[in-house]
Amino acid sequence: MKSKYVQHENSPLREIADLVVEGRQVIGDVEVTEQLWARTLAQGVCKLCSIPYYLNGFGIGDEIRVTSDFVLANTLRTSNQISYRVFISSIAECELIVQELRRLGAEFEPFDSQFMGVTTKTPSQAKSIKVLLQRLAQNRQIEYEDTRSPL
């Protein structure tokens, strides 16, 4: 099995984070280890401060349980934010797509110039952003996935 290691450099809540936790996800024949920023709430309990890129079922603001070696174990309380992983087809279109996401109130965490985590705080934002993502996907400008659903 292949391995991939991912770190979060630009987390929206980095300023309140006080530790890094690891999440692990098998995607096809690749085991992804993702380091996410988190804030300690109690022993073994943290709040995620990053928008997951690859981990399904987790989102920024979720309260999570971690093992003694800071590996993500499970969600204790969900933040109810809707999150997506977005792959932008053309570097030339990245800035326009980012501007449109900002205009709709999305928060995002870029991984590189063509891949980012996107999250919303309210149901109305989620609906507007989903419509935008669907339109962009139909036009083959992006591919996207809901991170609360399985790959």
Side-chain angles (χ1 to χ4, degrees):
M1 182 171 285
K2 299 175 196 170
S3 296
K4 181 174 186 160
Y5 193 77
V6 179
Q7 293 178 306
H8 285 255
E9 302 291 333
N10 303 299
S11 295
L13 299 177
R14 171 62 184 100
E15 69 277 356
I16 66 168
D18 59 4
L19 77 148
V20 173
V21 299
E22 284 191 353
R24 298 185 180 125
Q25 174 99 29
V26 175
I27 302 172
D29 66 342
V30 178
E31 181 180 36
V32 177
T33 300
E34 186 168 353
Q35 282 193 331
L36 303 113
W37 289 101
R39 184 179 87 214
T40 305
L41 300 177
Q43 185 171 355
V45 179
C46 303
K47 180 177 183 173
L48 282 180
C49 296
S50 298
I51 302 170
Y53 298 131
Y54 292 100
L55 296 178
N56 287 320
F58 300 96
I60 191 169
D62 287 0
E63 289 183 17
I64 57 168
R65 183 176 314 283
V66 294
T67 65
S68 59
D69 53 347
F70 303 104
V71 174
L72 198 150
N74 63 298
T75 301
L76 298 173
R77 200 186 74 172
T78 181
S79 65
N80 292 319
Q81 292 194 31
I82 307 297
S83 298
Y84 303 95
R85 61 179 68 82
V86 178
F87 307 88
I88 301 173
S89 303
S90 166
I91 291 175
E93 296 184 39
C94 287
E95 188 57 37
L96 292 174
I97 291 170
V98 165
Q99 286 175 10
E100 187 65 14
L101 288 167
R102 271 195 186 117
R103 187 185 67 75
L104 295 173
E107 288 188 51
F108 52 92
E109 183 174 347
F111 178 72
D112 60 29
S113 62
Q114 290 180 273
F115 177 46
M116 68 182 76
V118 176
T119 193
T120 65
K121 289 187 177 183
T122 68
S124 62
Q125 282 178 339
K127 184 176 181 182
S128 298
I129 289 166
K130 177 96 179 209
V131 168
L132 172 66
L133 294 176
Q134 288 172 334
R135 180 176 54 81
L136 293 170
Q138 287 173 343
N139 294 338
R140 302 192 190 289
Q141 293 170 282
I142 67 163
E143 293 179 27
Y144 76 97
E145 298 169 324
D146 179 338
T147 63
R148 297 276 188 190
S149 302
L151 285 172

Coordinates of all heavy atoms in Angstrom, one line a residue, residues 2-90:
K2 N 0.5 2.2 -0.8 CA 1.2 3.5 -0.9 C 0.8 4.4 0.3 O -0.2 4.2 0.9 CB 0.9 4.2 -2.2 CG 1.3 3.5 -3.4 CD 0.8 4.2 -4.6 CE 0.8 3.4 -5.8 NZ 0.1 4.0 -7.0
S3 N 1.7 5.3 0.6 CA 1.4 6.3 1.7 C 1.4 7.7 1.2 O 2.2 8.0 0.3 CB 2.4 6.1 2.8 OG 2.3 4.9 3.4
K4 N 0.6 8.6 1.8 CA 0.6 10.0 1.4 C 0.5 10.7 2.8 O -0.3 10.4 3.6 CB -0.5 10.4 0.5 CG -0.6 11.8 0.1 CD -1.7 12.1 -0.9 CE -1.6 13.5 -1.4 NZ -2.3 13.7 -2.6
Y5 N 1.3 11.8 2.9 CA 1.4 12.5 4.2 C 1.0 14.0 3.8 O 1.6 14.6 3.0 CB 2.8 12.5 4.8 CG 2.9 12.9 6.2 CD1 2.4 12.2 7.2 CD2 3.4 14.2 6.4 CE1 2.5 12.6 8.5 CE2 3.5 14.7 7.7 CZ 3.1 13.8 8.8 OH 3.1 14.3 10.1
V6 N 0.0 14.5 4.5 CA -0.5 15.8 4.2 C -0.5 16.7 5.5 O -1.0 16.3 6.6 CB -2.0 15.7 3.7 CG1 -2.6 17.1 3.4 CG2 -2.1 14.9 2.5
Q7 N 0.0 17.9 5.4 CA 0.0 18.9 6.5 C -0.8 20.1 6.1 O -0.9 20.5 5.0 CB 1.5 19.4 6.8 CG 2.4 18.3 7.3 CD 3.8 18.8 7.5 OE1 4.4 19.4 6.6 NE2 4.3 18.7 8.7
H8 N -1.4 20.7 7.1 CA -2.2 21.9 7.0 C -1.4 23.1 7.3 O -0.9 23.3 8.4 CB -3.5 21.8 7.9 CG -4.5 20.9 7.3 ND1 -5.6 21.4 6.7 CD2 -4.6 19.6 7.3 CE1 -6.4 20.3 6.3 NE2 -5.7 19.2 6.7
E9 N -1.1 23.9 6.3 CA -0.3 25.1 6.5 C -1.1 26.4 6.7 O -0.6 27.3 7.3 CB 0.6 25.3 5.3 CG 1.5 24.2 4.9 CD 2.6 23.9 5.9 OE1 3.0 24.9 6.6 OE2 3.0 22.8 6.1
N10 N -2.4 26.4 6.2 CA -3.2 27.7 6.2 C -4.5 27.5 6.9 O -5.5 27.9 6.3 CB -3.3 28.2 4.8 CG -2.0 28.4 4.1 OD1 -1.2 29.2 4.5 ND2 -1.8 27.7 3.0
S11 N -4.6 26.9 8.0 CA -5.9 26.6 8.7 C -6.5 27.9 9.1 O -5.9 28.8 9.7 CB -5.7 25.7 9.9 OG -5.2 24.4 9.5
P12 N -7.9 28.0 8.9 CA -8.6 29.2 9.3 C -8.5 29.6 10.8 O -8.6 30.7 11.1 CB -10.0 28.9 8.8 CG -9.9 27.9 7.8 CD -8.7 27.1 8.2
L13 N -8.5 28.6 11.6 CA -8.5 28.8 13.1 C -7.1 28.5 13.7 O -7.0 28.2 14.9 CB -9.5 27.9 13.7 CG -11.0 28.2 13.3 CD1 -11.9 27.2 14.0 CD2 -11.4 29.6 13.6
R14 N -6.0 28.6 12.9 CA -4.7 28.3 13.4 C -4.3 29.1 14.6 O -3.7 28.6 15.5 CB -3.7 28.6 12.2 CG -2.2 28.5 12.6 CD -1.8 27.1 13.1 NE -0.5 27.1 13.6 CZ -0.1 27.1 14.9 NH1 -1.0 27.3 15.8 NH2 1.1 27.1 15.2
E15 N -4.8 30.4 14.7 CA -4.4 31.2 15.9 C -4.9 30.7 17.2 O -4.4 31.1 18.2 CB -4.8 32.7 15.6 CG -6.3 32.9 15.7 CD -7.1 32.6 14.4 OE1 -6.4 32.2 13.4 OE2 -8.3 32.6 14.4
I16 N -5.9 29.9 17.2 CA -6.4 29.3 18.5 C -6.0 27.9 18.7 O -6.3 27.3 19.8 CB -8.0 29.4 18.6 CG1 -8.7 28.5 17.6 CG2 -8.4 30.9 18.5 CD1 -10.2 28.4 17.9
A17 N -5.3 27.3 17.7 CA -4.9 25.9 17.9 C -3.7 25.8 18.8 O -2.9 26.7 18.8 CB -4.6 25.3 16.5
D18 N -3.6 24.7 19.5 CA -2.4 24.5 20.4 C -1.8 23.1 20.2 O -0.8 22.8 20.9 CB -2.8 24.7 21.9 CG -3.9 23.8 22.4 OD1 -4.3 22.9 21.6 OD2 -4.3 23.9 23.5
L19 N -2.2 22.3 19.3 CA -1.6 21.1 19.0 C -2.0 20.6 17.6 O -2.9 21.1 16.9 CB -1.9 20.0 20.0 CG -3.3 19.3 19.9 CD1 -3.2 17.9 20.4 CD2 -4.3 20.1 20.8
V20 N -1.3 19.5 17.1 CA -1.5 18.9 15.8 C -2.0 17.5 16.1 O -1.4 16.8 16.9 CB -0.3 18.9 15.0 CG1 -0.5 18.1 13.7 CG2 0.2 20.3 14.6
V21 N -3.1 17.1 15.5 CA -3.6 15.7 15.6 C -3.5 15.1 14.2 O -3.4 15.8 13.2 CB -5.0 15.6 16.1 CG1 -5.1 16.2 17.5 CG2 -6.0 16.3 15.1
E22 N -3.4 13.7 14.2 CA -3.3 13.0 12.9 C -4.6 12.3 12.7 O -5.2 11.7 13.6 CB -2.2 12.0 12.9 CG -0.9 12.6 12.7 CD 0.2 11.6 12.5 OE1 0.0 10.4 12.6 OE2 1.4 12.0 12.2
G23 N -5.1 12.3 11.4 CA -6.2 11.5 11.0 C -5.7 10.6 9.9 O -4.8 10.9 9.1
R24 N -6.3 9.4 9.8 CA -5.8 8.4 8.8 C -7.0 7.9 8.0 O -8.1 7.7 8.6 CB -5.1 7.3 9.4 CG -3.8 7.7 10.2 CD -3.0 6.6 10.7 NE -1.8 7.2 11.4 CZ -1.5 6.9 12.6 NH1 -2.2 6.1 13.3 NH2 -0.4 7.5 13.1
Q25 N -6.8 7.9 6.7 CA -7.9 7.5 5.8 C -7.3 6.6 4.6 O -6.3 7.1 4.1 CB -8.6 8.7 5.2 CG -9.6 8.4 4.2 CD -11.0 8.5 4.7 OE1 -11.3 9.2 5.7 NE2 -11.9 7.8 4.2
V26 N -7.9 5.5 4.3 CA -7.4 4.7 3.2 C -8.3 5.1 2.0 O -9.6 5.1 2.1 CB -7.5 3.2 3.5 CG1 -7.2 2.4 2.2 CG2 -6.6 2.8 4.6
I27 N -7.7 5.5 0.9 CA -8.4 5.9 -0.3 C -7.8 5.1 -1.4 O -6.7 5.3 -1.8 CB -8.2 7.4 -0.6 CG1 -8.7 8.2 0.6 CG2 -8.9 7.8 -1.9 CD1 -8.4 9.7 0.5
G28 N -8.6 4.1 -1.9 CA -8.1 3.2 -2.9 C -6.9 2.4 -2.3 O -7.0 1.7 -1.3
D29 N -5.7 2.5 -3.0 CA -4.6 1.8 -2.5 C -3.6 2.7 -1.8 O -2.4 2.4 -1.7 CB -3.9 1.0 -3.6 CG -3.3 2.0 -4.7 OD1 -3.7 3.2 -4.7 OD2 -2.4 1.5 -5.5
V30 N -4.1 3.9 -1.3 CA -3.2 4.8 -0.6 C -3.7 5.1 0.8 O -4.9 5.4 1.0 CB -3.2 6.2 -1.4 CG1 -2.3 7.2 -0.7 CG2 -2.7 6.0 -2.8
E31 N -2.8 5.0 1.8 CA -3.2 5.4 3.1 C -2.7 6.8 3.3 O -1.5 7.1 3.2 CB -2.5 4.5 4.2 CG -2.9 4.9 5.6 CD -2.2 4.1 6.7 OE1 -1.1 3.7 6.5 OE2 -2.9 3.9 7.7
V32 N -3.7 7.7 3.5 CA -3.4 9.1 3.7 C -3.3 9.4 5.2 O -4.2 9.0 6.0 CB -4.5 10.0 3.1 CG1 -4.2 11.5 3.3 CG2 -4.6 9.7 1.6
T33 N -2.2 10.0 5.7 CA -2.1 10.5 7.0 C -2.2 12.0 6.9 O -1.4 12.7 6.2 CB -0.8 10.1 7.7 OG1 -0.7 8.7 7.7 CG2 -0.7 10.6 9.1
E34 N -3.2 12.6 7.6 CA -3.4 14.1 7.5 C -3.2 14.7 8.8 O -3.8 14.2 9.8 CB -4.8 14.3 7.0 CG -5.2 15.7 6.7 CD -6.5 15.9 6.0 OE1 -7.1 14.9 5.5 OE2 -6.9 17.0 5.8
Q35 N -2.3 15.7 8.9 CA -2.1 16.4 10.2 C -3.0 17.6 10.2 O -3.0 18.4 9.2 CB -0.6 16.9 10.3 CG 0.3 15.8 10.7 CD 1.6 16.4 11.1 OE1 2.1 17.4 10.6 NE2 2.3 15.7 12.0
L36 N -3.8 17.8 11.2 CA -4.7 18.9 11.4 C -4.5 19.6 12.6 O -4.1 19.0 13.7 CB -6.2 18.3 11.4 CG -6.6 17.5 10.2 CD1 -6.8 16.1 10.6 CD2 -7.8 18.1 9.5
W37 N -4.6 20.9 12.6 CA -4.5 21.8 13.8 C -5.8 21.6 14.6 O -6.9 21.4 14.1 CB -4.4 23.2 13.4 CG -3.0 23.5 12.8 CD1 -2.8 23.7 11.5 CD2 -1.8 23.7 13.5 NE1 -1.4 23.9 11.3 CE2 -0.8 23.9 12.6 CE3 -1.5 23.6 14.9 CZ2 0.5 24.1 12.9 CZ3 -0.1 23.8 15.2 CH2 0.8 24.1 14.2
A38 N -5.6 21.6 16.0 CA -6.7 21.4 16.9 C -6.4 22.2 18.2 O -5.3 22.6 18.4 CB -6.9 20.0 17.2
R39 N -7.5 22.5 18.9 CA -7.4 23.1 20.2 C -7.8 22.2 21.3 O -8.9 21.5 21.2 CB -8.3 24.4 20.2 CG -8.1 25.2 21.5 CD -9.0 26.4 21.6 NE -10.3 26.0 22.1 CZ -11.4 26.6 21.7 NH1 -11.5 27.5 20.8 NH2 -12.6 26.2 22.2
T40 N -7.1 22.1 22.3 CA -7.4 21.2 23.5 C -8.5 21.7 24.2 O -8.6 22.9 24.6 CB -6.1 21.0 24.4 OG1 -5.0 20.6 23.6 CG2 -6.4 20.1 25.5
L41 N -9.5 20.9 24.5 CA -10.7 21.2 25.3 C -10.6 20.5 26.7 O -11.0 21.1 27.7 CB -12.0 20.9 24.6 CG -12.2 21.5 23.3 CD1 -13.5 21.0 22.6 CD2 -12.3 23.0 23.4
A42 N -10.1 19.3 26.7 CA -10.0 18.5 27.9 C -9.0 17.4 27.5 O -8.6 17.2 26.3 CB -11.3 17.9 28.4
Q43 N -8.6 16.6 28.5 CA -7.7 15.5 28.2 C -8.3 14.5 27.2 O -9.4 14.0 27.5 CB -7.3 14.7 29.4 CG -6.2 13.7 29.2 CD -5.6 13.1 30.4 OE1 -6.0 13.5 31.5 NE2 -4.8 12.1 30.2
G44 N -7.7 14.4 26.0 CA -8.2 13.5 25.0 C -9.3 14.0 24.2 O -9.9 13.3 23.3
V45 N -9.7 15.3 24.4 CA -10.8 15.9 23.6 C -10.3 17.2 23.0 O -9.7 18.0 23.7 CB -12.0 16.2 24.5 CG1 -13.1 16.9 23.8 CG2 -12.5 14.9 25.2
C46 N -10.5 17.4 21.7 CA -10.0 18.6 21.0 C -11.1 19.1 20.1 O -12.1 18.4 19.8 CB -8.8 18.2 20.1 SG -7.5 17.5 21.0
K47 N -10.9 20.3 19.6 CA -11.8 20.9 18.6 C -10.9 21.1 17.3 O -9.8 21.7 17.4 CB -12.3 22.3 19.1 CG -13.2 23.0 18.1 CD -13.7 24.3 18.7 CE -14.7 24.9 17.7 NZ -15.3 26.1 18.4
L48 N -11.4 20.6 16.2 CA -10.6 20.7 14.9 C -10.6 22.2 14.5 O -11.6 22.9 14.5 CB -11.2 19.9 13.8 CG -11.0 18.4 13.8 CD1 -11.6 17.7 12.7 CD2 -9.5 18.1 13.8
C49 N -9.4 22.6 14.1 CA -9.2 24.0 13.6 C -8.8 24.0 12.1 O -8.4 25.1 11.6 CB -8.1 24.7 14.4 SG -8.5 24.9 16.2
S50 N -8.9 22.9 11.5 CA -8.5 22.8 10.0 C -9.7 22.2 9.3 O -10.6 21.5 9.9 CB -7.4 21.8 9.8 OG -6.2 22.3 10.5
I51 N -9.8 22.5 8.0 CA -10.8 21.9 7.1 C -10.2 20.7 6.5 O -9.2 20.8 5.8 CB -11.2 22.9 6.0 CG1 -11.8 24.2 6.6 CG2 -12.3 22.3 5.1 CD1 -12.0 25.3 5.5
P52 N -10.7 19.5 6.9 CA -10.0 18.3 6.3 C -10.0 18.3 4.8 O -11.0 18.6 4.2 CB -10.9 17.2 6.9 CG -11.5 17.7 8.1 CD -11.8 19.2 7.7
Y53 N -8.8 17.8 4.3 CA -8.7 17.7 2.8 C -9.2 16.3 2.4 O -9.9 16.1 1.4 CB -7.3 17.8 2.4 CG -6.7 19.2 2.6 CD1 -5.4 19.3 3.2 CD2 -7.3 20.3 2.2 CE1 -4.8 20.5 3.4 CE2 -6.7 21.6 2.5 CZ -5.5 21.6 3.0 OH -4.9 22.9 3.3
Y54 N -8.8 15.3 3.2 CA -9.1 13.9 2.8 C -9.9 13.1 3.7 O -10.6 12.1 3.3 CB -7.7 13.1 2.6 CG -7.0 13.6 1.4 CD1 -5.9 14.5 1.6 CD2 -7.3 13.2 0.1 CE1 -5.2 15.0 0.5 CE2 -6.5 13.7 -1.0 CZ -5.5 14.6 -0.8 OH -4.8 15.0 -1.8
L55 N -10.0 13.5 5.0 CA -10.7 12.7 6.0 C -12.2 12.9 5.8 O -12.7 14.0 5.8 CB -10.3 13.2 7.4 CG -8.9 12.9 7.8 CD1 -8.6 13.4 9.2 CD2 -8.5 11.4 7.7
N56 N -12.9 11.8 5.7 CA -14.4 11.9 5.6 C -15.0 11.8 7.0 O -14.5 11.2 7.9 CB -14.9 10.8 4.7 CG -14.6 11.0 3.3 OD1 -14.7 12.1 2.8 ND2 -14.2 9.9 2.6
G57 N -16.1 12.5 7.1 CA -16.9 12.5 8.3 C -16.5 13.5 9.4 O -17.0 13.5 10.5
F58 N -15.5 14.3 9.1 CA -15.0 15.3 10.0 C -15.0 16.7 9.4 O -14.9 16.8 8.2 CB -13.6 15.0 10.5 CG -13.4 13.6 11.1 CD1 -13.0 12.5 10.4 CD2 -13.7 13.5 12.5 CE1 -12.9 11.3 11.0 CE2 -13.6 12.2 13.1 CZ -13.2 11.1 12.3
G59 N -15.2 17.7 10.2 CA -15.2 19.1 9.7 C -14.6 20.0 10.7 O -14.5 19.7 11.9
I60 N -14.2 21.2 10.3 CA -13.7 22.2 11.1 C -14.7 22.5 12.2 O -15.9 22.6 12.0 CB -13.3 23.5 10.3 CG1 -12.5 24.5 11.2 CG2 -14.5 24.1 9.7 CD1 -11.9 25.6 10.4
G61 N -14.3 22.7 13.4 CA -15.2 23.0 14.6 C -15.7 21.7 15.3 O -16.3 21.9 16.3
D62 N -15.5 20.6 14.7 CA -16.0 19.3 15.4 C -15.2 19.1 16.6 O -14.0 19.4 16.7 CB -15.8 18.1 14.5 CG -16.7 18.0 13.3 OD1 -17.6 18.9 13.2 OD2 -16.6 17.0 12.5
E63 N -15.9 18.6 17.7 CA -15.2 18.2 18.9 C -14.9 16.7 18.7 O -15.8 15.9 18.3 CB -16.1 18.4 20.1 CG -16.2 19.8 20.5 CD -17.0 20.1 21.7 OE1 -17.2 19.1 22.5 OE2 -17.5 21.2 21.9
I64 N -13.6 16.4 18.9 CA -13.1 15.0 18.6 C -12.4 14.4 19.8 O -11.9 15.1 20.6 CB -12.2 15.0 17.4 CG1 -11.0 16.0 17.7 CG2 -12.9 15.5 16.1 CD1 -9.8 15.9 16.7
R65 N -12.4 13.1 19.8 CA -11.6 12.4 20.8 C -10.3 11.9 20.1 O -10.4 11.5 18.9 CB -12.4 11.1 21.3 CG -11.6 10.4 22.3 CD -12.3 9.2 22.9 NE -13.7 9.5 23.3 CZ -14.2 10.1 24.4 NH1 -13.3 10.6 25.2 NH2 -15.4 10.3 24.6
V66 N -9.2 12.1 20.8 CA -7.9 11.6 20.2 C -7.3 10.6 21.2 O -7.6 10.6 22.4 CB -6.9 12.8 20.0 CG1 -7.5 13.8 18.9 CG2 -6.7 13.6 21.3
T67 N -6.5 9.8 20.6 CA -5.8 8.8 21.4 C -4.6 9.4 22.2 O -4.3 10.6 21.9 CB -5.2 7.7 20.5 OG1 -4.2 8.3 19.6 CG2 -6.3 7.0 19.6
S68 N -3.9 8.7 23.0 CA -2.8 9.3 23.8 C -1.7 9.7 22.9 O -0.9 10.6 23.3 CB -2.3 8.2 24.8 OG -1.9 7.1 24.1
D69 N -1.6 9.2 21.6 CA -0.5 9.7 20.7 C -1.1 10.7 19.7 O -0.6 10.9 18.6 CB 0.2 8.6 20.1 CG -0.7 7.6 19.4 OD1 -1.9 7.6 19.6 OD2 -0.1 6.7 18.6
F70 N -2.3 11.3 20.0 CA -2.9 12.4 19.3 C -3.4 12.0 17.9 O -3.3 12.7 16.9 CB -2.0 13.6 19.2 CG -1.7 14.1 20.5 CD1 -0.4 13.9 21.1 CD2 -2.6 14.8 21.3 CE1 -0.1 14.4 22.4 CE2 -2.3 15.3 22.6 CZ -1.0 15.0 23.1
V71 N -3.9 10.7 17.8 CA -4.5 10.2 16.5 C -6.0 10.4 16.7 O -6.6 10.0 17.7 CB -4.1 8.8 16.2 CG1 -4.9 8.3 15.0 CG2 -2.6 8.7 16.0
L72 N -6.6 11.0 15.7 CA -8.1 11.2 15.7 C -8.8 9.8 15.9 O -8.5 8.9 15.1 CB -8.4 11.9 14.4 CG -9.8 12.6 14.4 CD1 -9.7 13.8 13.4 CD2 -10.8 11.7 14.0
A73 N -9.7 9.7 16.9 CA -10.4 8.5 17.1 C -11.8 8.6 16.6 O -12.3 7.7 15.8 CB -10.4 8.1 18.6
N74 N -12.6 9.6 17.0 CA -13.9 9.7 16.6 C -14.5 11.1 16.9 O -13.8 11.9 17.6 CB -14.8 8.7 17.2 CG -14.9 8.8 18.7 OD1 -13.9 8.7 19.4 ND2 -16.1 9.1 19.3
T75 N -15.6 11.5 16.3 CA -16.3 12.7 16.6 C -17.2 12.6 17.8 O -18.0 11.7 17.9 CB -17.1 13.2 15.4 OG1 -16.3 13.3 14.2 CG2 -17.8 14.5 15.6
L76 N -17.1 13.5 18.7 CA -17.9 13.6 19.9 C -19.1 14.5 19.6 O -20.3 14.2 20.1 CB -17.2 14.1 21.1 CG -16.0 13.2 21.5 CD1 -15.2 13.9 22.6 CD2 -16.5 11.9 22.0
R77 N -18.9 15.6 18.9 CA -20.0 16.5 18.6 C -19.6 17.2 17.3 O -18.5 17.8 17.2 CB -20.1 17.6 19.7 CG -21.5 18.3 19.7 CD -21.6 19.4 20.6 NE -20.7 20.4 20.0 CZ -20.6 21.6 20.4 NH1 -21.1 22.1 21.4 NH2 -19.8 22.4 19.7
T78 N -20.5 17.2 16.3 CA -20.3 17.8 15.0 C -20.6 19.3 15.1 O -21.5 19.7 15.8 CB -21.1 17.1 13.9 OG1 -20.8 17.7 12.7 CG2 -22.6 17.1 14.2
S79 N -19.8 20.0 14.3 CA -20.1 21.4 14.1 C -21.2 21.7 13.2 O -21.7 22.9 13.1 CB -18.8 22.1 13.6 OG -18.5 21.7 12.3
N80 N -21.7 20.7 12.5 CA -22.7 20.9 11.5 C -22.3 21.7 10.3 O -23.2 22.1 9.5 CB -24.0 21.3 12.1 CG -24.6 20.3 13.0 OD1 -24.6 19.1 12.6 ND2 -25.1 20.7 14.1
Q81 N -21.1 22.1 10.2 CA -20.6 22.8 9.0 C -20.5 21.8 7.8 O -20.1 20.7 8.0 CB -19.3 23.5 9.2 CG -19.4 24.6 10.2 CD -18.2 25.5 10.2 OE1 -17.5 25.7 9.2 NE2 -17.9 26.1 11.4
I82 N -20.9 22.3 6.6 CA -20.8 21.5 5.4 C -19.5 21.8 4.8 O -19.1 22.9 4.5 CB -22.0 21.8 4.4 CG1 -23.3 21.7 5.1 CG2 -21.9 20.9 3.2 CD1 -23.7 20.4 5.6
S83 N -18.7 20.7 4.5 CA -17.4 20.9 3.9 C -17.2 20.1 2.6 O -17.8 19.1 2.5 CB -16.3 20.5 4.9 OG -16.4 21.3 6.1
Y84 N -16.4 20.7 1.8 CA -16.1 20.0 0.5 C -14.6 20.1 0.2 O -13.9 20.9 0.7 CB -16.8 20.8 -0.7 CG -18.3 21.0 -0.5 CD1 -18.8 22.1 0.1 CD2 -19.1 20.0 -0.9 CE1 -20.2 22.3 0.2 CE2 -20.5 20.1 -0.8 CZ -21.0 21.3 -0.2 OH -22.4 21.4 -0.1
R85 N -14.2 19.1 -0.6 CA -12.8 19.1 -1.1 C -13.1 19.5 -2.6 O -13.9 19.0 -3.3 CB -12.1 17.8 -1.0 CG -12.7 16.6 -1.6 CD -11.8 15.4 -1.4 NE -11.8 14.9 0.0 CZ -12.7 14.2 0.6 NH1 -13.8 13.8 -0.1 NH2 -12.6 13.8 1.8
V86 N -12.3 20.5 -3.0 CA -12.5 21.1 -4.4 C -11.2 21.0 -5.2 O -10.2 21.4 -4.7 CB -13.0 22.5 -4.3 CG1 -13.2 23.1 -5.7 CG2 -14.3 22.6 -3.5
F87 N -11.3 20.4 -6.4 CA -10.2 20.3 -7.3 C -10.5 21.2 -8.5 O -11.4 21.0 -9.2 CB -10.0 18.9 -7.8 CG -9.9 17.8 -6.7 CD1 -11.0 17.2 -6.2 CD2 -8.7 17.4 -6.2 CE1 -11.0 16.3 -5.2 CE2 -8.6 16.5 -5.2 CZ -9.8 15.9 -4.7
I88 N -9.7 22.3 -8.6 CA -9.9 23.2 -9.7 C -9.1 22.8 -10.9 O -7.9 22.5 -10.9 CB -9.5 24.6 -9.3 CG1 -10.4 25.0 -8.1 CG2 -9.7 25.6 -10.4 CD1 -10.0 26.4 -7.4
S89 N -9.8 22.7 -12.1 CA -9.2 22.1 -13.3 C -8.1 23.0 -13.9 O -7.1 22.5 -14.4 CB -10.3 21.9 -14.4 OG -11.3 21.1 -13.9
S90 N -8.3 24.3 -13.9 CA -7.3 25.2 -14.5 C -6.8 26.2 -13.5 O -7.6 26.9 -12.9 CB -8.0 25.9 -15.7 OG -7.3 27.0 -16.1

